[in-house]
Amino acid sequence: MNHKWVKLLIVLLFLAAIGFGGYKGYIKNQSVKKANAKAVVSFQAMNQEQLSSYQLTGDDKVKNVLLVGADK
């Protein structure tokens, strides 16, 4: 009989942990949505016309290096 109570307690703790994790994820999602709503420019609002209005300039002081390899 005691063994059944231990199993039940473990299952209840597991379900409580899942519920708590889901709740924390929901709260985090809501805070991210609020932060995005207050953003000056959202990524969804950008389109190709807005991005093409920027002029890109070069800089001789910047060096771009591409390193490619495989770790085996």
Side-chain angles (χ1 to χ4, degrees), residues 10-71:
I10 290 172
V11 169
L12 289 176
L13 288 174
F14 182 72
L15 291 175
I18 290 174
F20 180 74
Y23 171 74
K24 292 299 280 185
Y26 175 77
I27 296 298
K28 179 71 172 177
N29 188 23
Q30 294 301 315
S31 66
V32 168
K33 283 183 180 180
K34 287 180 185 177
N36 284 338
K38 293 179 183 178
V40 176
V41 176
S42 69
F43 287 112
Q44 293 175 348
M46 290 183 179
N47 60 28
Q48 192 62 32
E49 292 176 15
Q50 290 174 325
L51 294 176
S52 65
S53 66
Y54 294 102
Q55 291 186 358
L56 301 176
T57 58
D59 189 353
D60 293 335
K61 296 178 184 177
V62 175
K63 301 283 185 199
N64 293 318
V65 179
L66 174 64
L67 298 176
V68 179
D71 294 335

